[in-house]
Amino acid sequence: VLVRAVIGLLVVGPLLYRRRIAPWRTRHLRLHLTRAVTGGAGVTIGFYAFTVIPLATATAINFTMPLFVTILAVVVLHETVGWRRWTATAAGFLGVIVMVRPGSTSFDPAALLVLVQALCIAFSVSVVKSFPAQESQLSMLFFTFISSGLISVWPAIAAWHPPDLRIALLLLGVAAAGISAQACVLRAYRLGEASYIAPLSY
């Protein structure tokens, strides 16, 4: 998480400088901090969850995020959600229940961590819709990487050891994929309705 945040800042920093954007001078600092903290917490929880439960299980539970986004789109953003979107969201959620089988003896309570992650990410992407159109997406990325970096810096330092070439390349790959995904998600939720975009995650 820390490497992802540092590389993200190295990518975003020069772009902010070239466009003469100072993120800390925004009039929407509270929104930025709310989105960044929930998003940063969600990413950190998600990375940790992948180390304690099977990847397939974590991925399945993470698919509850579209349900949370759809609910928040109605309650917070006051979007109108028709029966088609509710049906798509409900069908995906039923798929999650089938895969996870929460009542079975094989259910791992640690899987609840991913549920918290999904809720954090859902809240974070919902906040995106509250920004005015002129607010810079680069500023949003800046605060995202600052937040996740601050959340992860002390645990990362405590557990740090020099990576070999293979691990270094994997870290770069995770960072590149994460930065690209974050930029795409932000752009998508700025352009479209949250309740329409969320079920596409399935």
Side-chain angles (χ1 to χ4, degrees):
V1 177
L2 179 63
V3 169
R4 178 178 179 270
V6 170
I7 294 177
L9 288 172
L10 291 175
V11 171
V12 170
L15 296 175
L16 288 168
Y17 178 78
R18 190 172 72 176
R19 298 186 184 183
R20 300 292 188 268
I21 298 173
W24 49 88
R25 293 179 182 172
T26 178
R27 296 180 180 178
H28 309 283
L29 185 60
R30 183 177 297 179
L31 280 177
H32 277 295
L33 293 179
T34 300
R35 196 199 66 77
V37 169
T38 53
V43 168
T44 306
I45 292 169
F47 272 66
Y48 174 71
F50 291 151
T51 70
V52 295
I53 62 176
L55 181 62
T57 302
T59 302
I61 300 172
N62 193 47
F63 279 139
T64 57
M65 189 270 287
L67 176 65
F68 293 137
V69 171
T70 304
I71 293 172
L72 288 170
V74 174
V75 176
V76 178
L77 303 176
H78 307 295
E79 290 184 6
T80 300
V81 180
W83 67 269
R84 290 181 180 85
R85 295 183 192 178
W86 279 120
T87 301
T89 304
F93 183 70
L94 287 175
V96 173
I97 299 298
V98 169
M99 288 187 287
V100 176
R101 294 177 298 166
S104 67
T105 55
S106 61
F107 179 73
D108 188 347
L112 295 175
L113 282 172
V114 189
L115 201 62
V116 176
Q117 178 213 9
L119 184 57
C120 286
I121 298 298
F123 192 84
S124 179
V125 298
S126 297
V127 173
V128 172
K129 299 298 295 182
S130 300
F131 285 98
Q134 65 270 21
E135 189 70 12
S136 170
Q137 183 173 323
L138 288 173
S139 294
M140 297 183 194
L141 288 170
F142 172 83
F143 283 108
T144 296
F145 297 135
I146 287 290
S147 174
S148 58
L150 290 175
I151 290 171
S152 62
V153 62
W154 294 117
I157 289 174
W160 184 261
H161 58 87
D164 57 27
L165 178 60
R166 174 178 171 274
I167 297 299
L169 291 175
L170 287 173
L171 285 171
L172 288 173
V174 167
I179 294 165
S180 301
Q182 184 73 33
C184 289
V185 166
L186 281 175
R187 187 63 176 163
Y189 279 93
R190 295 200 78 185
L191 291 174
E193 291 186 352
S195 60
Y196 176 81
I197 296 168
L200 294 175
S201 297
Y202 290 130

